[in-house]
Amino acid sequence: MVVRVVLWRLDERTPPVDELRVRLDELEPLIPPSSFLVNEAAEQIGMLVVADDDEPPPAQLGALRDLVGRDPDLYEEYETVG
């Protein structure tokens, strides 16, 4: 299993966090335990993806990238242990 953490720090070049939060409802839901992430106070949006090792990133990642308008500030992948 792998865990992917993907985050965008929003700024004046991106849509505001409240607008993006509403637009998340338009995307197909992620399969739990994966989830979209929103931190309004820090003006960040992202996703946490839990998947099999050989599974590609979900289509929602590209859709969220399109909504924000640029590549994420953080994209990290971790192997699960145990």
Side-chain angles (χ1 to χ4, degrees), residues 4 12-13 19 27 29 40-41 43 49 51 54 57-58 61 71:
R4 295 180 180 106
E12 66 279 344
R13 300 172 294 153
E19 178 183 325
L27 301 180
E40 290 187 27
E43 294 187 349
V49 179
D54 59 348
L61 176 58
D71 287 334

Side-chain angles (χ1 to χ4, degrees), residues 12-74:
E12 66 279 344
R13 300 172 294 153
T14 62
V17 68
D18 54 339
E19 178 183 325
L20 289 170
R21 182 181 204 126
V22 171
R23 303 278 310 269
L24 288 178
D25 292 336
E26 299 170 8
L27 301 180
E28 185 170 333
L30 293 165
I31 298 170
S34 297
S35 181
F36 291 109
L37 306 171
V38 177
N39 182 329
E40 290 187 27
E43 294 187 349
Q44 294 179 336
I45 195 164
M47 58 191 342
L48 176 72
V49 179
V50 179
D52 290 328
D53 292 346
D54 59 348
E55 195 174 332
Q60 295 92 327
L61 176 58
L64 187 53
R65 182 185 295 121
D66 291 344
L67 288 176
V68 175
R70 61 180 174 81
D71 287 334
D73 296 298
L74 174 76

